[in-house]
Amino acid sequence: MKLAQTSEKKSESTLLEILLVSTRLGLTSFGGPVAHLGYFHEEYVRRRKWMDEKSYADLVALCQFLPGPASSQVGIGVGLMRGGLLGGLLAFIGFTLPSVLALILFALILQGFGIADAGWIHGLKIVAVAVVAHAVIGMAQKLAPDLPRKTIALFALAATLLWQTAFTQVGVIIISGIIGYFMFKSHIAEDDSRMHFPISKGVGFVSLGLFFVLLILLPILREATSLNWIAMFDSFYRSGSLVFGGGHVVLPLLEREFVPTDWLSEEAFLAGYGAAQAVPGPLFTFAAYIGAVINGWKGGLLATAAIFLPAFLLILGTLPFWDTLRRNSKISRALMGVNAAVVGILIAAFYQPIWTSSILAPIDFVFAAILFSMLVYWKLPPWVIVVTGAVGGLLLSMIF
C-alpha cells in the first residue's frame, strides 16, 4: 500500500515537474523553432539529463522528418518519454499556452500597437543567437565528429541555404540517410541506450489512423455541413498536417486559407504576424490570433487545438515504434547520416534567419558574445540570459 502511494506521489511529482519546466520554457523560449531546440537541449539534456545526447538527436531527426511544428513535437516527445500520454499533453500545454494567451489577448485588445520592432524584442533575438550557437556546437561535437559526417553536414548546410523550399529539409534528410546507409556499413553500433515510451504500439496505430481519417473526413464534413467552426477546424488542421519546415512555412498557407475568403483582412493578418514574432513559444500559435480575430477567445482555442492536433497525433503514432527502428543496424547507419544532416540544417538556420535578422551591427555581435559567455562559461541559467537580453536590447535601442 505504501509502495503504491509512493509510486503515485512520484508520478504526480514527475508530471508537475514536466508542467513547470515546459511552462518556463514557454515563457522564455524566443527566436523560432531552431532556438527552441537549443533551449530544449540546454534544459532537458544538459541540465536535467532526462535523455542522452543521441536519444535527443534521434528525436529531433524524427520530428524534422514529420510534417508539423518540429520544436513542439520534440517537446511533446520529451514529455511522452518522461511521463506518458499525460506527460506529453502537459509538456505541450506548458510550452504553448503562454504564447496562445498572449496572442488571443493581442487579437482582442492590442491590435494596432507596433511591438515587433521594439528594442527588447531585438535583444531577445540576440539571445536566440547565443542559445542556438551553444546547441549547434554541442550537437556537432557529438553527431559530426569525423570527416564523412562533417561532409554530410556541409552538404545539408549548403542545400538548405541555397534551395529554400518547403521540401528541401525533407529531401536533404532522405538523401543523407541513404548516404549514411551505404557509407557506414563497417560501423558497429556502440549505443546501448534505450528510449522508454510508456505508450503502446496499439495507441500508435490508432493515432496514425485518426490523423489520416481526420485529414480525409474534415473537408467532406465542411462541404456537407457548411458550419463555420468545422470550416475553421478543417483549414487549421490541414495547415498543420501538410507543412514541412516549421512555423514560417505555415504562414502563407494560413494567409491563403483566411485572407482571400474574407475571414480577416490583410492588415489584421500582418499585425498578428508581427505579434507572433514578438512572443515566446512556437510560431504555430499564430493560429490562436487568427481564430480570436474570427470568433473571439473560443475561436482562438479552437484554432490552437486544430493546428497542433496533427503534430500530437503524428508524434504519438510514431514514437512507440521509434526505439525498435533506431536500434536496427541498417536504420542506425542511416541515422548517422541523418543526424549529421540535422547539424548542417541547424547551422543553416542559425545563419538565416537567426543571425541575419539579429546581428545588424558590431554592438549586436558584442552583446551576443557576452550572452554566449554567460550561458556557456559562467553557467548562468537560461532565464537569466533571457532577462539580460531583453533589458540589454531595450538599453541598446535607447543609446544607439
Side-chain angles (χ1 to χ4, degrees):
M1 186 69 176
K2 287 184 178 180
L3 185 63
Q5 289 176 341
T6 302
S7 177
E8 186 177 340
K9 287 181 180 179
K10 184 179 179 181
S11 176
E12 291 175 355
S13 174
T14 299
L15 292 175
L16 180 61
E17 184 183 24
I18 291 171
L19 179 61
L20 292 176
V21 173
S22 60
T23 301
R24 188 172 74 247
L25 287 168
L27 290 167
T28 57
S29 295
F30 292 86
V34 178
H36 301 159
L37 296 179
Y39 284 104
F40 290 168
H41 183 268
E42 179 67 26
E43 187 68 34
Y44 294 139
V45 180
R46 290 181 184 270
R47 294 188 65 223
R48 298 187 177 273
K49 303 189 186 304
W50 284 2
M51 58 199 311
D52 58 61
E53 292 272 1
K54 188 176 187 304
S55 295
Y56 180 75
D58 288 349
L59 180 60
V60 171
L62 171 64
C63 295
Q64 292 278 1
F65 186 77
L66 294 174
S71 61
S72 296
Q73 288 170 316
V74 170
I76 293 169
V78 172
L80 284 168
M81 293 163 63
R82 183 72 177 171
L85 182 58
L86 190 53
L89 184 60
L90 290 175
F92 164 73
I93 291 172
F95 183 60
T96 308
L97 191 60
S99 55
V100 168
L101 295 178
L103 288 170
I104 289 177
L105 182 65
F106 180 81
L108 299 178
I109 302 174
L110 301 178
Q111 289 189 47
F113 280 73
I115 61 173
D117 297 321
W120 62 275
I121 295 297
H122 185 63
L124 293 173
K125 289 182 178 180
I126 297 176
V127 170
V129 171
V131 171
V132 175
H134 186 210
V136 167
I137 291 170
M139 294 185 73
Q141 291 172 343
K142 297 283 185 180
L143 304 179
D146 49 44
L147 184 59
R149 279 179 280 185
K150 284 182 171 67
T151 304
I152 292 174
L154 179 61
F155 151 75
L157 182 157
T160 306
L161 277 180
L162 297 178
W163 294 282
Q164 297 185 21
T165 70
F167 299 100
T168 297
Q169 282 192 15
V170 177
V172 165
I173 287 173
I174 292 173
I175 293 170
S176 299
I178 295 171
I179 292 172
Y181 175 81
F182 288 105
M183 183 176 286
F184 303 116
K185 281 189 174 181
S186 61
H187 173 77
I188 300 174
E190 299 177 355
D191 176 49
D192 292 325
S193 64
R194 286 193 174 272
M195 299 173 73
H196 174 63
F197 306 110
I199 305 294
S200 70
K201 291 183 179 180
V203 172
F205 278 120
V206 171
S207 299
L208 290 176
L210 184 58
F211 168 80
F212 288 108
V213 166
L214 288 173
L215 193 60
I216 296 168
L217 186 61
L218 282 171
I220 298 173
L221 288 176
R222 179 176 188 161
E223 293 298 323
T225 62
S226 299
L227 294 175
N228 281 344
W229 72 269
I230 290 182
M232 275 183 62
F233 199 96
D234 172 52
S235 292
F236 284 115
Y237 185 87
R238 275 189 293 106
S239 297
S241 300
L242 304 175
V243 168
F244 291 89
H248 292 281
V249 182
V250 82
L251 295 173
L253 283 181
L254 291 175
E255 183 175 20
R256 189 168 66 246
E257 287 285 341
F258 294 102
V259 175
T261 54
D262 294 325
W263 288 76
L264 78 165
S265 67
E266 182 75 22
E267 293 75 19
F269 184 90
L270 293 175
Y273 176 64
Q277 299 284 350
V279 298
L283 193 55
F284 268 55
T285 54
F286 180 43
Y289 166 84
I290 296 176
V293 169
I294 295 172
N295 195 32
W297 65 268
K298 293 179 181 178
L301 294 179
L302 177 71
T304 302
I307 201 166
F308 280 103
L309 181 58
F312 205 95
L313 291 175
L314 283 171
I315 199 68
L316 192 62
T318 53
L319 276 182
F321 308 98
W322 188 232
D323 191 54
T324 302
L325 289 174
R326 80 184 189 109
R327 292 172 63 81
N328 179 283
S329 60
K330 295 179 180 179
I331 300 295
S332 177
R333 298 202 310 259
L335 278 175
M336 288 177 68
V338 169
N339 287 336
V342 168
V343 172
I345 291 170
L346 291 179
I347 295 173
F350 173 71
Y351 172 72
Q352 187 177 11
I354 293 175
W355 181 279
T356 56
S357 67
S358 306
I359 308 301
L360 308 178
I363 188 64
D364 294 335
F365 181 80
V366 171
F367 190 35
I370 293 171
L371 294 172
F372 181 84
S373 298
M374 292 171 63
L375 179 65
V376 178
Y377 305 124
W378 302 344
K379 308 294 184 184
L380 296 176
W383 69 266
V384 173
I385 314 301
V386 170
V387 172
T388 304
V391 174
L394 185 60
L395 293 175
L396 290 176
S397 68
M398 296 169 62
I399 297 172
F400 294 94

